[in-house]
Amino acid sequence: VTVDREDLIKSSWTDNAAAWTESVRQKRIASRALVTDAAVLAAVRARTPSRVLDIGCGEGWLCRVLQGHEIETVGFDGTRELIERARAASPGLYHVLTYEQFADNPEAVGSGYDVAVCNFSLLGEDIGAVIRGATEVLGPGGVIVLQTVHPCADLPDGCRYEDGWRMEEFGALGSDFHTPMPWYFRTVGSWIRAFTAPGLDLIECAEPVHPESGQPVSLLLTAGRAAKAQ
Ligand SMILES: C[S@@+](CC[C@H](N)C(=O)[O-])C[C@H]1O[C@@H](n2cnc3c(N)ncnc32)[C@H](O)[C@@H]1O
């Protein structure tokens, strides 16, 4: 059942926290180094924000880069082991908070954000409550930026193009990842529907590609509160 899988997602991040931090900080994930780090950074900076909320910030790389551009950041993540590493690496504000806790009380992380960003951090089936929470802490004209693995990236032969649970073994990241992670696959249409369901208008839908192969790497969506709700 869904509840068990959501718990397994969380425990996998606790178990893999050290290996994940090494992979990110040593830039071992080629798609990030080549494509997706720059893509999400450009999408956030395109809004010329003063204040950014990083949802599921992990070990905090994006907050650190944004701080380097004089942008105020707040990051939160459910994995204490990752937040401790984020705090040790930069002076920004970081909270240990699960998406469920955030959805119950979004203002626990403050408000008035120009951008709330989710970089590869929405992994479960129900993302509506997190998106709704993010919407509540945006300032006027604020947007949510979401980057996820492109549904057509590495789609195995014979794999149906439809929503459903999959398993990530982290095989490409080396043997230090001990715990596989269930994650919820969505089609492009499903991502857009889930992202805009809490009454958001889609502002941008980008699909960054690998510079050499031309294959899609990620899906990068930007949305803001529907005009009538502002
Ligand atoms: C692939 S990592 C991405 C981390 C970071 N955004 C980055 O770009 O490196 C996914 C993150 O989502 C967090 N996460 C997953 N489910 C969560 C939940 N229910 N509540 C809070 N954080 C969660 C994990 O702890 C992990 O840090």
Side-chain angles (χ1 to χ4, degrees):
V1 283
T2 305
V3 172
D4 292 338
R5 290 200 180 96
E6 303 282 351
D7 286 344
L8 286 173
I9 292 175
K10 283 186 219 135
S11 57
S12 79
W13 287 102
T14 302
D15 293 349
N16 294 326
W20 174 255
T21 302
E22 274 302 293
S23 292
V24 171
R25 294 189 182 171
Q26 303 302 321
K27 302 207 181 301
R28 293 205 190 118
I29 308 170
S31 57
R32 289 190 159 222
L34 270 173
V35 182
T36 66
D37 285 0
V40 72
L41 192 58
V44 172
R45 292 192 66 205
R47 310 297 304 183
T48 57
S50 314
R51 197 166 143 70
V52 172
L53 177 66
D54 189 353
I55 297 178
C57 63
E59 57 66 61
W61 78 269
L62 182 55
C63 287
R64 290 193 294 282
V65 175
L66 293 170
Q67 289 157 20
H69 292 285
E70 310 300 324
I71 296 166
E72 184 189 336
T73 65
V74 175
F76 79 89
D77 198 287
T79 307
R80 176 171 301 280
E81 289 75 1
L82 289 171
I83 289 295
E84 283 166 359
R85 287 169 168 84
R87 286 177 178 150
S90 89
L93 193 53
Y94 299 98
H95 301 280
V96 179
L97 204 68
T98 66
Y99 298 156
E100 298 71 18
Q101 291 167 327
F102 171 67
D104 282 348
N105 178 21
E107 300 213 349
V109 300
S111 59
Y113 291 99
D114 303 306
V115 177
V117 57
C118 307
N119 194 49
F120 299 108
S121 55
L122 298 185
L123 303 162
E125 184 169 359
D126 298 322
I127 62 171
V130 182
I131 303 295
R132 258 192 307 281
T135 309
E136 285 177 31
V137 298
L138 294 178
V143 300
I144 308 177
V145 170
L146 181 155
Q147 180 162 237
T148 185
V149 175
H150 196 289
C152 298
D154 307 320
L155 200 61
D157 279 349
C159 187
R160 295 189 67 85
Y161 185 66
E162 63 189 19
D163 287 13
W165 283 95
R166 306 271 164 91
M167 193 58 99
E168 172 63 60
E169 307 279 349
F170 297 110
L173 293 184
S175 56
D176 292 340
F177 283 77
H178 300 298
T179 309
M181 174 194 73
W183 63 285
Y184 195 77
F185 176 94
R186 289 171 210 279
T187 64
V188 172
S190 171
W191 269 113
I192 292 175
R193 280 190 296 279
F195 188 41
T196 55
L200 299 178
D201 281 343
L202 192 62
I203 296 169
E204 185 71 66
C205 172
E207 295 167 284
V209 297
H210 190 285
E212 281 136 33
S213 68
Q215 295 296 304
V217 177
S218 69
L219 178 65
L220 184 51
L221 306 174
T222 303
R225 268 190 293 242
K228 59 181 175 348
Q230 291 219 9

